[in-house]
Amino acid sequence: MTFENLPEKQTDLVEKSNQNLPEKKTTFDIDAFKSIYYWANAKPDTQLKLFRERKIISLSDIHELNTRIGNKLKNHNIETFLVTLNFVLTEGNIREYASWEEFDRENWQFINQRIQTISITWDLTFAIPTYHLPQRHTLKVRIGSAIPPKDLFHFMFNTDETSDLLTLRAEGMVKVDFINQVLGNELVNIVTEWNEGLKTMERKNNLQSFLQNYEGYINKSIIYFFPLLILFLGFIYQNLIIKELELSKDLNLITLERTLLIGATITSIGLVLSRFFANQFSRKVDKFKIPSGILITKGDKTYDDELKIENKNIIKDISGRVLISLIVALIIICLKYIYVYFFSNK
């Protein structure tokens, strides 16, 4: 690294005069000053791109991304090239690698935890023709750990930046801090093309997707359906109810009051049952799990297999409960006609 064009002394930057304050030299090179300032303490410009779709990430995909970045940087006069990797795993485990070589030596098949977040940072310093000092650029890629919607409300009151919320909700992102805008755009485009080339993860089957997308409508249908179903069953059994409660079929004030009381009781029972079944349905739907899309460790692959089995069991449970409810309703209706057939003439 050479610094022939830089001022040799601090006094070369300013001229002394008879006054207390130094005066700026008219021949001072502004590019030299910017080079020193940016290199020492200036905050570079930032470009950020968010990834909305969840992709399937394997170990070979990470190696491919690093190869793409390295091939691109071969066209530039690189002074330093540092890669650091951070993996957030389940059970509170975090693995950090200070170099690519350390990461490459890891045997991921021996790790039983699953990966939640992958963060890779390329710290680059290279020469730019318009600057005397090599300039620092950083490229950061994050995959995984989008916060769930239920936690979004909490973060809204803990950050003033809209970009922070968008970043947290994204499935991944690429961020570059740059001095050279052309290179910054090129790095973002490389990561974006790499991400687009990954296989999109199929989150759920058709029935699971339907239940999750229309959970609110299904809940409302359950709440409105059960009171109507109970009233319908009450209508079918009205003769039996009148007989057992010794109600008169003649229209009078007492009969009207008793009918309204019985109707209100039946409706209340229906509302209680509807709320109960709607809550049960919501709890079951909330238990659905979405694959992380990261398939690197032994724990990742085990979790993916277990998740598919658990989601299938939840679908079977919901389907079984619906089927049982329909069968019970049919049995209740059939019992009325059986009762009429065997006991109406007695």
Side-chain angles (χ1 to χ4, degrees):
M1 188 182 299
T2 59
F3 304 93
E4 293 86 351
N5 296 325
L6 294 178
E8 296 181 357
K9 300 179 182 178
Q10 183 179 4
T11 54
D12 293 335
L13 296 174
V14 295
E15 287 182 337
K16 296 292 183 180
S17 65
N18 294 331
Q19 301 179 2
N20 293 329
L21 297 177
E23 295 181 356
K24 179 180 177 181
K25 291 179 64 175
T26 57
T27 60
F28 176 67
D29 187 356
I30 188 63
D31 286 336
F33 173 76
K34 288 170 64 178
S35 177
I36 298 172
Y37 184 74
Y38 283 135
W39 183 81
N41 56 15
K43 180 181 179 182
D45 296 326
T46 298
Q47 184 174 348
L48 181 69
K49 182 173 179 60
L50 305 179
F51 302 135
R52 300 298 183 185
E53 291 185 320
R54 187 170 295 190
K55 302 285 188 171
I56 297 177
I57 306 292
S58 64
L59 195 59
S60 60
D61 295 322
I62 297 178
H63 284 277
E64 179 192 345
L65 176 60
N66 186 62
T67 302
R68 290 193 182 198
I69 298 296
N71 290 338
K72 180 61 185 178
L73 296 177
K74 288 179 180 178
N75 302 325
H76 298 271
N77 186 13
I78 301 297
E79 299 288 347
T80 62
F81 181 85
L82 301 175
V83 185
T84 57
L85 302 96
N86 178 283
F87 291 78
V88 178
L89 295 89
T90 53
E91 302 178 8
N93 294 317
I94 298 177
R95 290 177 178 258
E96 295 184 349
Y97 303 91
S99 66
W100 188 265
E101 290 74 19
E102 292 294 328
F103 162 73
D104 217 14
R105 282 196 289 266
E106 183 66 81
N107 193 334
W108 295 97
Q109 294 305 313
F110 291 162
I111 299 176
N112 294 323
Q113 294 82 24
R114 65 182 181 88
I115 298 173
Q116 295 178 316
T117 308
I118 302 173
S119 296
I120 310 174
T121 303
W122 288 265
D123 198 325
L124 316 169
T125 305
F126 58 94
I128 300 178
T130 55
Y131 296 95
H132 295 294
L133 284 177
Q135 295 301 306
R136 183 185 182 191
H137 289 60
T138 57
L139 172 67
K140 182 175 181 180
V141 175
R142 175 183 65 79
I143 301 295
S145 284
I147 63 171
K150 62 181 180 180
D151 294 333
L152 185 61
F153 188 75
H154 168 75
F155 285 99
M156 289 176 61
F157 289 94
N158 288 275
T159 181
D160 296 327
E161 297 292 336
T162 305
S163 60
D164 293 340
L165 293 174
L166 294 175
T167 302
L168 290 170
R169 286 293 298 131
E171 296 291 349
M173 71 160 194
V174 54
K175 177 183 178 182
V176 59
D177 298 325
F178 61 90
I179 302 299
N180 186 319
Q181 186 174 8
V182 175
L183 179 61
N185 292 335
E186 290 176 346
L187 293 175
V188 170
N189 291 335
I190 288 174
V191 179
T192 302
E193 291 175 0
W194 168 81
N195 182 75
E196 291 175 350
L198 298 174
K199 184 178 179 181
T200 302
M201 187 195 64
E202 296 180 2
R203 292 192 171 198
K204 42 209 169 186
N205 59 38
N206 293 333
L207 182 55
Q208 180 182 342
S209 177
F210 173 80
L211 293 176
Q212 289 185 305
N213 292 338
Y214 297 98
E215 178 184 353
Y217 295 106
I218 297 174
N219 264 335
K220 290 180 180 179
S221 300
I222 293 173
I223 291 174
Y224 296 142
F225 172 75
F226 268 91
L228 295 176
L229 176 62
I230 297 297
L231 286 174
F232 176 71
L233 295 177
F235 174 76
I236 292 178
Y237 280 87
Q238 62 176 322
N239 292 331
L240 180 61
I241 294 173
I242 291 173
K243 180 180 178 180
E244 294 296 329
L245 298 180
E246 298 180 352
L247 298 176
S248 174
K249 292 185 178 181
D250 298 332
L251 182 61
N252 54 56
L253 185 59
I254 297 176
T255 302
L256 180 60
E257 290 177 352
R258 290 182 178 180
T259 302
L260 291 175
L261 179 60
I262 293 172
T265 302
I266 293 175
T267 304
S268 300
I269 294 173
L271 288 172
V272 171
L273 290 175
S274 66
R275 297 285 181 183
F276 172 78
F277 285 112
N279 291 334
Q280 289 291 314
F281 171 76
S282 294
R283 291 193 187 99
K284 287 294 180 182
V285 172
D286 291 340
K287 289 182 179 179
F288 278 124
K289 296 180 180 179
I290 300 176
S292 65
I294 301 175
L295 298 175
I296 296 177
T297 68
K298 179 181 178 181
D300 291 332
K301 297 169 183 177
T302 302
Y303 173 78
D304 188 65
D305 294 336
E306 292 176 349
L307 179 144
K308 292 177 180 177
I309 296 174
E310 290 180 10
N311 286 345
K312 287 181 179 178
N313 290 335
I314 293 173
I315 292 176
K316 289 180 181 179
D317 191 12
I318 293 175
S319 302
R321 290 172 182 246
V322 172
L323 182 61
I324 291 173
S325 299
L326 293 175
I327 292 174
V328 170
L330 289 174
I331 290 175
I332 293 174
I333 294 173
C334 292
L335 284 176
K336 188 261 182 181
Y337 294 101
I338 293 173
Y339 177 85
V340 171
Y341 180 80
F342 287 101
F343 301 101
S344 60
N345 296 326
K346 294 184 179 180

